[in-house]
Amino acid sequence: MNHPTDSLYDVIERRRDVRAEFTGSPVPDDVLQRVLGAAHRAPSVGMSQPWDFVLVRDPETRASFRDHVRTERASFAASLPPERRASFDRIKVEGICESSLGVVVTHSQTRGGPHVLGRHAIADAGLYSTVLAIQNLWLAATAEGLGLGWVSFYREDVLRQLLGIPADVRPVAWLCLGTVSHLETVPDLERHGWRARRPLADAIHEDTWQAREQDHA
Ligand SMILES: Cc1cc2nc3c(=O)[nH]c(=O)nc-3n(C[C@H](O)[C@H](O)[C@H](O)COP(=O)(O)O)c2cc1C
């Protein structure tokens, strides 16, 4: 469902990380192209445009990645104290096979050559750019009535090998993208008692950092 009259603020408010609400119906190609087009219009340091998008529809590839994510989930679960473990056990961390497709966003630090304007002092500025493309993609998907879930429970080398990604390119995210029954209004992690939102006032500092107790929470 499209919401053409929505303001950007409405879309930002409605955006959710989705795992359980995927229906698996195909995403029409024109919609997918618009969403990827929004990602591709992100700002980038020195206009390096260091991102690429691998569209993963093959069920076997997705099942194989899902199995790897299950292993990583189990190893994180094993590291938790009992009360955190109980909360984590209620949380679904991926919708890899249930979503319509996977979009793997990669980052190429060599794109743009050695003289990327604005990256000389901060090497990570390239990676920031790729992450902005992901945020554009996420908001555009929301505006189109789609759901998106970011999966980071994986080892980069495993995903690189699974998709034939070159050694000098980093897979930054596996995004589960697709049609959804609905979008939740409260983040899953909050609903399941894992962690709540910080008040905006706690994130704002005036003139200097001025350390406060809540900075560490
Ligand atoms: C870099 C990054 C990695 C994430 N990795 C995962 C993940 O592996 N599994 C998952 O279920 N959610 C993942 N998330 C989603 C967050 O848990 C979610 O954004 C957060 O709880 C706030 O919920 P909301 O996005 O619905 O507002 C990730 C989000 C980001 C930005």
Side-chain angles (χ1 to χ4, degrees):
M1 198 183 4
N2 205 342
H3 304 266
T5 58
D6 283 356
S7 76
L8 178 62
Y9 287 104
D10 293 328
V11 174
I12 288 171
E13 181 76 28
R14 211 168 55 241
R15 185 208 55 80
R16 196 74 311 116
D17 187 87
V18 173
R19 299 98 161 165
E21 292 78 26
F22 289 115
T23 61
S25 305
V27 175
D29 205 47
D30 58 328
V31 175
L32 184 59
Q33 286 300 317
R34 279 201 296 273
V35 168
L36 294 173
H40 196 56
R41 292 182 82 122
S44 61
V45 65
M47 230 179 151
S48 53
Q49 303 159 80
W51 50 75
D52 284 276
F53 311 105
V54 184
L55 309 182
V56 188
R57 295 190 174 90
D58 179 50
E60 273 180 38
T61 307
R62 291 207 262 168
S64 168
F65 184 64
R66 191 260 334 264
D67 292 347
H68 169 62
V69 167
R70 278 190 182 156
T71 311
E72 287 300 320
R73 180 197 167 107
S75 88
F76 179 64
S79 75
L80 296 172
E83 72 286 356
R84 292 307 266 164
R85 174 75 195 255
S87 167
F88 181 64
D89 283 348
R90 292 193 295 272
I91 298 170
K92 185 171 162 63
V93 298
E94 52 82 18
I96 296 159
C97 294
E98 304 93 319
S99 59
S100 305
L101 75 160
V103 179
V104 176
V105 182
T106 63
H107 171 69
S108 172
Q109 188 72 3
T110 55
R111 177 129 343 119
H115 307 295
V116 172
L117 187 154
R119 211 187 57 195
H120 70 289
I122 302 175
D124 282 346
L127 192 57
Y128 303 159
S129 312
T130 295
V131 174
L132 288 170
I134 295 174
Q135 179 71 348
N136 270 13
L137 201 160
W138 209 335
L139 292 175
T142 308
E144 296 282 357
L146 299 173
L148 185 147
W150 183 325
V151 182
S152 58
F153 276 74
Y154 64 83
R155 301 289 156 174
E156 288 185 19
D157 279 341
V158 172
L159 185 52
R160 213 178 253 124
Q161 201 174 352
L162 184 67
L163 302 183
I165 296 169
D168 61 345
V169 175
R170 280 186 81 179
V172 175
W174 178 297
L175 305 175
C176 304
L177 176 65
T179 54
V180 284
S181 55
H182 64 285
L183 294 178
E184 290 290 342
T185 53
V186 178
D188 282 11
L189 266 50
E190 195 167 339
R191 284 190 298 127
H192 294 302
W194 178 265
R195 195 165 161 83
R197 287 175 191 278
R198 297 169 70 204
L200 170 61
D202 287 2
I204 298 174
H205 302 244
E206 299 281 355
D207 293 323
T208 62
W209 178 267
Q210 298 162 333
R212 298 153 306 184
E213 214 166 292
Q214 64 265 32
D215 294 336
H216 304 291

